[in-house]
Amino acid sequence: MPRTTRLIGAVICTVAVVLQLPAAEPPSGREIHERLVPSCAWVVAGAEGRGTGWLVDAARKWLVTNYHVVGDSKSADVLFPVWRDGRLLAERDEYVTNMRQWRIEGKVLRRDPNRDLALIELTSVPATAKAVPLASQSASAGERVHILGNRRDLEQMWSYTSGRVRGVYRSEDGYPWRTRRLAQGCRLLALQAPINEGDSGGPAVNDRGELIGVTSAILWQAERTATAIDVTEVRAFLYPDTPPRPADPKRPDADAYGQLVRAVVLVHSPSSLSRSSGFVIDKSRRILLTTAQAAGPHERVELVFPKFEKGRVISEAAAYKDIARVKAGVIVRDTRRNLALLEAESLPAGTLEIAFAADSARPGDGLHSVGNPNGIDALWLYTALSVRQAGKIQLSSIKEDGQAGVLVLQGPGSANDGGGPIVDAKGRLVAVAGGKDGPEQQVNYAIELAEIRGFLEANRAKWDPKTADEFHGRGQRRMRIRQNDAALADFQEALRLVPTHTGALTDLPDLYRRRNESAKAWTAMQTALRQATPEQCAVPYAQRALLQMDRDKPDYALKDCDRALKIDPKCVRALVVRAEAWRRKKELAKAVADADEAIWLDANHGPAYFQRGLISMDQRDWDKALGDFTRAAELDPFDPAPLRERARAYEDKGDMEKAKRDREAAKRLE
């Protein structure tokens, strides 16, 4: 085979995403095995080809296996199971010993590397063998799957395994075999099932015994995810002249998966190429939960939401390459718990939220998850999990953070994908995928419910403000990441609660100016001046000076800057505005002195570096300007102005490639 407070209460009490359990008792694995095994065969082709096949048409004596099982061989030996005294012979040695007696000759009629399928015509078929029926359409994520195969690492044949369908997708990359890649562009099933070499070509069937896929490969880079060729590809391979069957519009994704996936997002951090997940916990507030690792050291990330077609999620990663991303602010990060809270700027229609379970999960509980593991060109993969134990481990890379409460889960490795929801049988949240695998196979960790509740409770003021100070604090965060409308609402609410709130009064003029509402900015500044005590007027005077500069009145601006600096000689904002005024008046020595003083007083004040960069541009000192614009962009990564000016500096230096890059980056921020 190829290698909590009010919002917490509201979240808990909201209507949960329900994972409906099947009403009828599904068939047992024993029943499936007994029904399926007469239809399966051991396929031996050439010196190396060993795999599994299954009967698709008894009348035509057709058997299907993988292309990579037969390779370029024109024929194959096929051995069906043998019973002795009513007992299935499972020992491989029996079949090897009786190869000449029991083998059935087969001719390879057709092969397709792009689908990794081969069709063998047999000279005869045992009377007990029956054709495996083909499912009418692709399986759904979360659906049970049953597999028969002849894996090489076992001495026994016709071994049965079961699992779940994780997703259905069209693979761009396929998988490697020898010196080539197979199944490129092919529709595949991602399976949560333990398969191995020798299982290739075997049938993967649903609870009705219908073929949903042909077991084909293990994606080792995706934590040993098993794959199978989807039944739609099998049907197209067998009957190329028959039009494909239309998908049943009444059969969307299974309830368990189709509901859960509508709350899950793909989280893009500016500093990471790895996939991470998150999910909505409060739709009205657009609040999402993810891991601190997923958010990274950033104040803003981007989100990708799942797309749907006829009720089924589009799983191909390629379908999301050019999709518009939704910006989200990082409200708070907790490295000890490896949790982060996000606020999305918008949510697509149809997005759902996930409610909280009342109690923590316990050992033996069966759980469900949807995430976006790395190493596979598919998204929104389902995973079935079970709780092995609960305990504490170190989740943070910072030793001083200490340990956090986790669930120890049995399930496939997460491939570093953290932040996805882990829910119980009723769709209620019990944990967050930690993106941390255990030391051995099939063990991973998730942040358990009590830690999530503690995280939300400790940071309640940051996402569910009640007081004027809390609204002002949230408004400042929103303003910094350019969520200007939301910031304005917060400042207005702070002033409604406390009309003389100094912080909101001081920030409003800057916010209105950023929104290009100069008249409102002037009015807000005048209000701040009236409300402030004489000792508090330095910043409002500096704001008035900046508004005077907007009106192209540098002399008036200089007077206001002097007023501000008389009140507070260390008022950095006034020094920066005065530097701009001197620059416009072509008095560059004075401009440099004020800019340098501002940076000396506050080495993290971005506008001071930006202003000094402009002065250096006037002095034709491109290298110094580049350094200052770079520092300004680092200090305020959401302001396009430093990037625009740095592009101009690069252009003046003759570096057109970097100039173009900066202009494009600035345009994305605008």
Short mmCIF file of all heavy atoms in Angstrom, two decimals, residues 214-240:
data_model
loop_
_atom_site.label_atom_id
_atom_site.label_comp_id
_atom_site.label_asym_id
_atom_site.label_seq_id
_atom_site.Cartn_x
_atom_site.Cartn_y
_atom_site.Cartn_z
N VAL A 214 -13.01 1.99 -2.18
CA VAL A 214 -12.02 0.93 -2.34
C VAL A 214 -10.78 1.35 -1.56
O VAL A 214 -10.14 2.37 -1.88
CB VAL A 214 -11.67 0.71 -3.82
CG1 VAL A 214 -10.60 -0.36 -3.95
CG2 VAL A 214 -12.91 0.32 -4.61
N THR A 215 -10.45 0.60 -0.52
CA THR A 215 -9.31 0.93 0.33
C THR A 215 -8.05 1.08 -0.51
O THR A 215 -7.75 0.22 -1.34
CB THR A 215 -9.11 -0.17 1.38
OG1 THR A 215 -10.35 -0.45 2.01
CG2 THR A 215 -8.10 0.27 2.42
N SER A 216 -7.31 2.17 -0.31
CA SER A 216 -6.24 2.45 -1.26
C SER A 216 -4.90 2.86 -0.66
O SER A 216 -3.86 2.43 -1.15
CB SER A 216 -6.69 3.55 -2.24
OG SER A 216 -7.03 4.73 -1.54
N ALA A 217 -4.86 3.69 0.36
CA ALA A 217 -3.56 4.23 0.78
C ALA A 217 -3.63 4.76 2.21
O ALA A 217 -4.70 4.96 2.78
CB ALA A 217 -3.12 5.35 -0.16
N ILE A 218 -2.44 4.98 2.75
CA ILE A 218 -2.30 5.66 4.04
C ILE A 218 -1.54 6.96 3.81
O ILE A 218 -0.48 6.96 3.19
CB ILE A 218 -1.51 4.80 5.05
CG1 ILE A 218 -2.19 3.45 5.27
CG2 ILE A 218 -1.37 5.54 6.38
CD1 ILE A 218 -1.34 2.48 6.06
N LEU A 219 -2.09 8.06 4.28
CA LEU A 219 -1.40 9.35 4.20
C LEU A 219 -0.58 9.51 5.48
O LEU A 219 -1.06 9.98 6.50
CB LEU A 219 -2.41 10.48 4.04
CG LEU A 219 -3.34 10.39 2.82
CD1 LEU A 219 -4.26 11.60 2.77
CD2 LEU A 219 -2.55 10.27 1.53
N TRP A 220 0.67 9.09 5.41
CA TRP A 220 1.51 9.11 6.61
C TRP A 220 1.72 10.53 7.11
O TRP A 220 1.81 10.76 8.33
CB TRP A 220 2.85 8.44 6.30
CG TRP A 220 2.69 7.01 5.92
CD1 TRP A 220 2.58 6.49 4.67
CD2 TRP A 220 2.57 5.90 6.82
NE1 TRP A 220 2.40 5.14 4.72
CE2 TRP A 220 2.40 4.73 6.03
CE3 TRP A 220 2.60 5.77 8.20
CZ2 TRP A 220 2.25 3.47 6.59
CZ3 TRP A 220 2.47 4.50 8.76
CH2 TRP A 220 2.30 3.37 7.95
N GLN A 221 1.78 11.50 6.19
CA GLN A 221 2.01 12.88 6.60
C GLN A 221 0.79 13.48 7.30
O GLN A 221 0.88 14.54 7.91
CB GLN A 221 2.39 13.74 5.38
CG GLN A 221 1.24 14.08 4.45
CD GLN A 221 0.90 12.97 3.47
OE1 GLN A 221 1.37 11.85 3.62
NE2 GLN A 221 0.10 13.28 2.47
N ALA A 222 -0.35 12.81 7.20
CA ALA A 222 -1.58 13.28 7.84
C ALA A 222 -1.95 12.34 8.98
O ALA A 222 -3.11 11.94 9.13
CB ALA A 222 -2.71 13.37 6.83
N GLU A 223 -0.93 11.99 9.78
CA GLU A 223 -1.15 11.14 10.95
C GLU A 223 -1.83 9.83 10.60
O GLU A 223 -2.80 9.41 11.22
CB GLU A 223 -1.96 11.90 12.02
CG GLU A 223 -1.33 13.19 12.49
CD GLU A 223 -0.02 12.96 13.21
OE1 GLU A 223 0.09 11.99 13.97
OE2 GLU A 223 0.91 13.77 13.00
N ARG A 224 -1.34 9.18 9.53
CA ARG A 224 -1.79 7.84 9.12
C ARG A 224 -3.26 7.81 8.71
O ARG A 224 -3.94 6.81 8.89
CB ARG A 224 -1.55 6.82 10.24
CG ARG A 224 -0.10 6.68 10.69
CD ARG A 224 0.00 5.63 11.79
NE ARG A 224 1.37 5.43 12.21
CZ ARG A 224 1.95 6.11 13.19
NH1 ARG A 224 1.27 7.04 13.83
NH2 ARG A 224 3.20 5.86 13.54
N THR A 225 -3.75 8.89 8.17
CA THR A 225 -5.13 8.89 7.69
C THR A 225 -5.29 7.90 6.54
O THR A 225 -4.54 7.94 5.57
CB THR A 225 -5.55 10.30 7.22
OG1 THR A 225 -5.52 11.19 8.35
CG2 THR A 225 -6.96 10.29 6.64
N ALA A 226 -6.26 7.01 6.65
CA ALA A 226 -6.53 6.04 5.59
C ALA A 226 -7.38 6.69 4.51
O ALA A 226 -8.20 7.58 4.79
CB ALA A 226 -7.25 4.83 6.16
N THR A 227 -7.19 6.23 3.27
CA THR A 227 -8.00 6.74 2.17
C THR A 227 -8.61 5.59 1.39
O THR A 227 -8.12 4.46 1.42
CB THR A 227 -7.17 7.61 1.20
OG1 THR A 227 -6.17 6.80 0.59
CG2 THR A 227 -6.52 8.77 1.90
N ALA A 228 -9.68 5.91 0.69
CA ALA A 228 -10.34 4.95 -0.18
C ALA A 228 -10.84 5.68 -1.41
O ALA A 228 -11.21 6.86 -1.33
CB ALA A 228 -11.50 4.26 0.54
N ILE A 229 -10.86 5.00 -2.55
CA ILE A 229 -11.40 5.58 -3.78
C ILE A 229 -12.92 5.63 -3.65
O ILE A 229 -13.56 4.62 -3.39
CB ILE A 229 -11.00 4.74 -5.00
CG1 ILE A 229 -9.48 4.48 -5.01
CG2 ILE A 229 -11.45 5.42 -6.28
CD1 ILE A 229 -8.63 5.70 -5.05
N ASP A 230 -13.49 6.79 -3.85
CA ASP A 230 -14.93 6.97 -3.65
C ASP A 230 -15.74 6.17 -4.66
O ASP A 230 -15.32 5.94 -5.80
CB ASP A 230 -15.27 8.46 -3.77
CG ASP A 230 -16.73 8.74 -3.48
OD1 ASP A 230 -17.16 8.49 -2.35
OD2 ASP A 230 -17.45 9.18 -4.41
N VAL A 231 -16.93 5.77 -4.24
CA VAL A 231 -17.79 4.94 -5.09
C VAL A 231 -18.13 5.61 -6.41
O VAL A 231 -18.33 4.94 -7.43
CB VAL A 231 -19.07 4.53 -4.33
CG1 VAL A 231 -19.94 5.76 -4.03
CG2 VAL A 231 -19.87 3.49 -5.10
N THR A 232 -18.20 6.94 -6.44
CA THR A 232 -18.50 7.62 -7.70
C THR A 232 -17.39 7.40 -8.72
O THR A 232 -17.65 7.29 -9.93
CB THR A 232 -18.71 9.11 -7.48
OG1 THR A 232 -17.53 9.68 -6.90
CG2 THR A 232 -19.90 9.37 -6.55
N GLU A 233 -16.15 7.31 -8.25
CA GLU A 233 -15.03 7.02 -9.14
C GLU A 233 -15.08 5.56 -9.61
O GLU A 233 -14.75 5.25 -10.76
CB GLU A 233 -13.70 7.30 -8.45
CG GLU A 233 -13.51 8.74 -7.99
CD GLU A 233 -13.18 9.68 -9.15
OE1 GLU A 233 -13.14 9.23 -10.31
OE2 GLU A 233 -12.94 10.87 -8.87
N VAL A 234 -15.48 4.67 -8.71
CA VAL A 234 -15.59 3.26 -9.06
C VAL A 234 -16.64 3.07 -10.16
O VAL A 234 -16.42 2.37 -11.15
CB VAL A 234 -15.94 2.42 -7.82
CG1 VAL A 234 -16.10 0.95 -8.20
CG2 VAL A 234 -14.88 2.58 -6.74
N ARG A 235 -17.76 3.73 -9.97
CA ARG A 235 -18.84 3.61 -10.96
C ARG A 235 -18.40 4.18 -12.31
O ARG A 235 -18.66 3.58 -13.37
CB ARG A 235 -20.08 4.35 -10.45
CG ARG A 235 -21.36 4.02 -11.21
CD ARG A 235 -22.53 4.83 -10.66
NE ARG A 235 -22.83 4.47 -9.28
CZ ARG A 235 -23.56 3.41 -8.92
NH1 ARG A 235 -24.07 2.62 -9.85
NH2 ARG A 235 -23.81 3.15 -7.66
N ALA A 236 -17.72 5.32 -12.30
CA ALA A 236 -17.26 5.91 -13.56
C ALA A 236 -16.21 5.03 -14.23
O ALA A 236 -16.15 4.95 -15.46
CB ALA A 236 -16.69 7.30 -13.29
N PHE A 237 -15.39 4.35 -13.44
CA PHE A 237 -14.38 3.44 -13.98
C PHE A 237 -15.02 2.21 -14.62
O PHE A 237 -14.63 1.78 -15.71
CB PHE A 237 -13.43 3.03 -12.85
CG PHE A 237 -12.48 1.92 -13.21
CD1 PHE A 237 -11.43 2.13 -14.08
CD2 PHE A 237 -12.64 0.65 -12.65
CE1 PHE A 237 -10.55 1.10 -14.40
CE2 PHE A 237 -11.77 -0.38 -12.97
CZ PHE A 237 -10.73 -0.15 -13.85
N LEU A 238 -16.01 1.65 -13.95
CA LEU A 238 -16.64 0.42 -14.44
C LEU A 238 -17.57 0.68 -15.62
O LEU A 238 -17.64 -0.12 -16.56
CB LEU A 238 -17.43 -0.24 -13.31
CG LEU A 238 -16.61 -0.82 -12.15
CD1 LEU A 238 -17.53 -1.24 -11.02
CD2 LEU A 238 -15.77 -2.00 -12.63
N TYR A 239 -18.28 1.79 -15.56
CA TYR A 239 -19.30 2.06 -16.57
C TYR A 239 -19.07 3.45 -17.16
O TYR A 239 -19.84 4.39 -16.91
CB TYR A 239 -20.69 1.96 -15.95
CG TYR A 239 -20.87 0.72 -15.10
CD1 TYR A 239 -21.00 0.81 -13.71
CD2 TYR A 239 -20.87 -0.55 -15.67
CE1 TYR A 239 -21.15 -0.33 -12.93
CE2 TYR A 239 -21.02 -1.70 -14.90
CZ TYR A 239 -21.16 -1.58 -13.52
OH TYR A 239 -21.30 -2.70 -12.74
N PRO A 240 -18.00 3.60 -17.94
CA PRO A 240 -17.63 4.94 -18.43
C PRO A 240 -18.66 5.56 -19.36
O PRO A 240 -18.69 6.77 -19.51
CB PRO A 240 -16.31 4.68 -19.16
CG PRO A 240 -16.32 3.22 -19.50
CD PRO A 240 -17.06 2.56 -18.38
#
